[in-house]
Amino acid sequence: MAPRWLWLNVLGALAVAGVRESLLNVCMNAKHQKDKPGPEDALHSQCSPWKNNSCCSVNTSHAAHEEQSYLYNFSWSHCGNMSGKCKKHFIQDTCLYECSPNLGPWINVVDVSWRKERILNVPLCKEDCDQWWEDCKADMTCKENWHKGWNWTTGTNRCPLGSMCEPWPLVFPEPKDLCEKIWSNSYQYTPFQRGSGRCIQMWFDPKEGNPNAEVAKYYSRAGRGGAARLPLALLLPALLVLRTV
Ligand SMILES: *[C@@H]1O[C@H](CO)[C@@H](O)[C@H](O)[C@H]1NC(C)=O
Ligand SMILES: *[C@@H]1O[C@H](CO)[C@@H](O)[C@H](O)[C@H]1NC(C)=O
Ligand SMILES: *[C@@H]1O[C@H](CO)[C@@H](O)[C@H](O)[C@H]1NC(C)=O
Ligand SMILES: *[C@@H]1O[C@H](CO)[C@@H](O)[C@H](O)[C@H]1NC(C)=O
Ligand SMILES: *[C@@H]1O[C@H](CO)[C@@H](O)[C@H](O)[C@H]1NC(C)=O
């Protein structure tokens, strides 16, 4: 009995240690992210908090602020012009997606032409989601899921036939609807608050460091949220260890 447990413990420890590192300080393999995070002194405006250590290039940081930029040809203003106060959250959302090196625990493999990896269920801090919804609630939109179903015939996304531009709260009744549905569950709405170390902040003051590094570390431990994507063969021994300590 004893040698078997010992063996499992060793395996588990290796799995835990290896996994933890590989989920930290990484860039997702998507469309514009760099291969590896690193300093980018000149990141633009709202993306600048990531300049110490970033997955986005300077060019990407500029494009993140533009309507219908070359990044995705995506127009936020598909039901009239989006208000400035709403748009700033979409810019920040783009900066986080393109620049953050702390999304490792939520990176998932996808099989689509334009990217190999996506993020799934990133636990967004409650206030960041609530404020996003609050600042957009006077805007209009025609769709709940902004990832798919657009009419792209003009080269940019337009509302598909049969959809109507409606006030924001009719499409997204609650902040949770916005954050979870808009990008096909890239984000998860959480009860966790900014500074708790349990949720990812879309907004942060770089003077105090990047708070998301700690959060990624927390979730990269086996058995927590991020473990879902681990191969079972690695995860099982890790769980056995956790049960025996
Ligand atoms: C960034 O943009 C500039 C100006 O458009 C261009 O000359 C340069 O090649 C771009 N750099 C990268 C790395 O794409
Ligand atoms: C954006 O549109 C331009 C011009 O229509 C096209 O050349 C480019 O490939 C498009 N980019 C993306 C990301 O779809
Ligand atoms: C929308 O914004 C564009 C560019 O800022 C401006 O030229 C246009 O007049 C605006 N349209 C409306 C309906 O406000
Ligand atoms: C897409 O837009 C084009 C041009 O505006 C229109 O002719 C077509 O019917 C639209 N198709 C759908 C499915 O919305
Ligand atoms: C960037 O690095 C400086 C110097 O090491 C540090 O004071 C600052 O907190 C860091 N900021 C972030 C966002 O990591």
Side-chain angles (χ1 to χ4, degrees), residues 151-154 158-162:
N151 184 340
W152 284 96
T153 54
T154 59
R158 298 261 185 259
C159 295
L161 277 180

Side-chain angles (χ1 to χ4, degrees), residues 57-60 70:
S57 65
V58 172
N59 282 9
T60 299
Y70 72 88

Side-chain angles (χ1 to χ4, degrees), residues 25 27 34 36-58 61 95 99-102 204-213:
N25 199 35
C27 297
K34 306 185 327 191
K36 284 188 189 143
E40 293 287 348
D41 294 341
L43 288 188
H44 186 60
S45 185
Q46 285 184 227
C47 295
S48 65
W50 283 274
K51 68 186 178 188
N52 271 15
N53 193 29
S54 164
C55 287
C56 64
S57 65
V58 172
S61 76
C95 289
C99 308
S100 176
N102 310 121
F204 60 87
D205 182 351
K207 282 202 238 56
E208 287 148 33
N210 181 340
N212 296 330

